[in-house]
Amino acid sequence: MCIQPLFALLQTGYYHNPAAGQAGMFLLMIVIGIVGWIVQARLQSVFKKYSEVPFPGNLTGAEVAEKMLRDNHIHNVKVTHVRGRLTDHFNPQTMTVNLSDEVYASRSVAAAAVAAHECGHAVQHARGYAPLVLRSQLVPVVQFASTAATWVILLGLVILASTHNELLCWIGVGMIGVSALFSIVTLPVEYNASARALQWLRESRTMVEPQLGQARIALRWAARTYLVAALSAIASVLYYVFLILGRRD
């Protein structure tokens, strides 16, 4: 799809016809959804491919994680196993690096890359990395906002139809905006964790080329899923903005 006509439609909607802008935003969200599906499919493919490439150091994902934590003088974080596929995460509340079925006991390049990435978050936490601190502070606000925002906007639209008062609608948009902010803040957190992982893998000689290049590719595709999520969140905010503008007389 050509992007220029789509942006022209959005511009027309914003300045002249809010309903047209709303239609353009709906189309943009469909495009982002398709792109997201492609990126997720590519990530699954890349992870499967490099899950079959043996890690030269013959370490499991859990052993890679423990080694990276030790090398960064982090001794209060435990490496644990969680069920699921690509459910790996660092939990600052329990101070655990949680590795999935395909990572914890696997001796593959993909497992080593994912384990190092999650430990990158543990290093961020230990160093007080500002975007991670901000994201952690936003979590309870986002949990509430993401649950209530749609209902607030729907109620606001009902009130708007009868009283022409847009206040509640814009409060709902602001709540969705908090979720969008969370997605945006997540980007530097994820990219920085990957950078820390790759730097440690290289400097510690835990991984060398060509496996280091393969790990870089796997982490790059994982980061792109967060980029698509951020774009989708921004598009959601703009969609509701045009929805409200389109309800005006």
Side-chain angles (χ1 to χ4, degrees):
M1 173 177 291
C2 181
I3 298 298
Q4 186 174 357
L6 182 56
F7 282 130
L9 177 59
L10 295 179
Q11 186 179 29
T12 299
Y14 183 82
Y15 290 109
H16 304 292
N17 187 345
Q22 180 186 339
M25 284 310 311
F26 184 71
L27 182 59
L28 180 59
M29 292 179 69
I30 292 176
V31 172
I32 292 175
I34 293 172
V35 172
W37 180 84
I38 293 172
V39 170
Q40 187 65 34
R42 179 59 179 162
L43 171 62
Q44 297 281 352
S45 175
V46 167
F47 186 82
K48 180 179 179 181
K49 176 180 178 181
Y50 294 137
S51 292
E52 298 172 356
V53 178
F55 179 48
N58 200 35
L59 299 176
T60 64
E63 290 168 341
V64 169
E66 290 167 352
K67 185 175 188 298
M68 182 171 173
L69 293 173
R70 287 196 306 269
D71 287 355
N72 282 277
H73 310 290
I74 298 175
H75 305 290
N76 62 337
V77 175
K78 183 180 179 181
V79 179
T80 65
H81 172 255
V82 292
R83 295 188 179 277
R85 191 166 191 265
L86 295 179
T87 52
D88 312 88
H89 65 281
F90 167 67
N91 189 333
Q93 295 181 332
T94 59
M95 296 301 287
T96 54
V97 169
N98 303 277
L99 302 179
S100 63
D101 295 327
E102 296 179 299
V103 173
Y104 187 86
S106 174
R107 302 178 189 273
S108 68
V109 167
V114 171
H117 172 87
E118 297 308 330
C119 286
H121 290 308
V123 175
Q124 289 174 337
H125 184 270
R127 306 291 187 266
Y129 182 60
L132 179 65
V133 173
L134 176 58
R135 188 177 74 166
S136 298
Q137 293 172 342
L138 286 173
V139 167
V141 181
V142 171
Q143 287 176 338
F144 169 76
S146 60
T147 301
T150 302
W151 295 107
V152 171
I153 290 179
L154 289 175
L155 179 59
L157 289 173
V158 172
I159 294 175
L160 175 61
S162 57
T163 67
H164 303 289
N165 189 328
E166 300 176 349
L167 178 60
L168 194 59
C169 290
W170 293 118
I171 291 174
V173 170
M175 295 171 74
I176 294 177
V178 173
S179 297
L181 176 62
F182 182 84
S183 296
I184 293 170
V185 172
T186 294
L187 289 177
V189 173
E190 295 300 328
Y191 278 96
N192 180 265
S194 291
R196 291 176 188 266
L198 292 169
Q199 180 180 3
W200 174 78
L201 287 169
R202 182 179 65 254
E203 293 180 353
S204 66
R205 306 291 294 177
T206 302
M207 190 180 290
V208 296
E209 300 293 351
Q211 288 78 22
L212 188 61
Q214 295 168 343
R216 186 178 297 107
I217 292 172
L219 293 179
R220 186 180 300 154
W221 278 102
R224 286 171 180 166
T225 63
Y226 292 98
L227 177 59
V228 172
L231 292 175
S232 179
I234 294 171
S236 294
V237 174
L238 295 176
Y239 172 79
Y240 283 107
V241 167
F242 283 114
L243 177 64
I244 295 168
L245 294 177
R247 293 300 181 94
R248 287 178 175 175
D249 292 335

